[in-house]
Amino acid sequence: MDRQQDKKEFPVAFSSDIDFLKEVRTAVLENLKCSPITSTSEVSYGRLPDQRPMRRVFPRGREHLISLMSKRDTLYFVGFIGFTKDADELDENIKEDIWNIDNKLVEQLSGHSNIVGYFSAERLDGHNWGNLVVCKSSDAINEWMTSKTHTTAITQLSPRYYSLVRIHSGHLQDGLCGEVGVLKTIFLDYGTPQPTRSVVYWDT
């Protein structure tokens, strides 16, 4: 079932989601300061300040994102926050399937001209990960989320792996360093016999 709600104030209950996305963003900014500027696709690995692992994907190299940062143009983002099911609820192959489709999504990023960064990191619970996707336009968000591979992940794999998912999207005023403004959240609840999907638009 799909439900849509009118605009309301973004709740404090989800502030930890945004704190995580900001933490990932800060780690990316720090890495951009000290690493060589590249103009080709790059996948690299690192750690957050407290040593949690992270992955950085620059589909068109670091130079593309750095040039956008210098212009301070508004960028757009998608933040994925998922909560995995208990171990006894997971089928034997789901973890492998999840990583395989994630790798496929990364491989296809170069085909999305308006996606400039895809960053993943372990969250504070030490069990779940989250993703931050940075785009040049809001249209890129729809292009990304309606791609065949992403649709497969959401419809076929997520119900097997997650109990709950929150997908926040919005804008970064003044570029990657700017304020994180959440415009919309998609809620996917797989903890019921009939999974539910709801969309909430937030006041900004």
Side-chain angles (χ1 to χ4, degrees), residues 99-132:
W99 282 112
N100 285 343
I101 201 146
D102 184 73
N103 289 332
K104 189 173 182 179
L105 283 168
V106 169
E107 291 174 1
Q108 294 175 352
L109 281 175
S110 59
H112 296 274
S113 60
N114 286 314
I115 296 178
V116 297
Y118 178 49
F119 311 110
S120 306
E122 185 179 83
R123 303 215 305 276
L124 280 172
D125 60 14
H127 174 59
N128 292 294
W129 281 58
N131 302 325
L132 172 65

Side-chain angles (χ1 to χ4, degrees), residues 19 28 33 39 48 51 70 85 91 99 104-105 122 124 171-172 177 179 183 187 191 193:
D19 289 343
V28 172
K33 293 178 183 177
S39 57
L48 298 176
Q51 297 304 303
S70 66
K85 294 182 177 182
D91 62 72
W99 282 112
K104 189 173 182 179
L105 283 168
E122 185 179 83
L124 280 172
H171 51 59
L172 298 163
C177 300
E179 185 65 28
L183 302 178
F187 297 90

Side-chain angles (χ1 to χ4, degrees), residues 186-200:
I186 298 172
F187 297 90
L188 301 171
D189 187 350
Y190 301 116
T192 57
Q194 182 63 42
T196 61
R197 179 184 188 274
S198 59
V199 182
V200 178

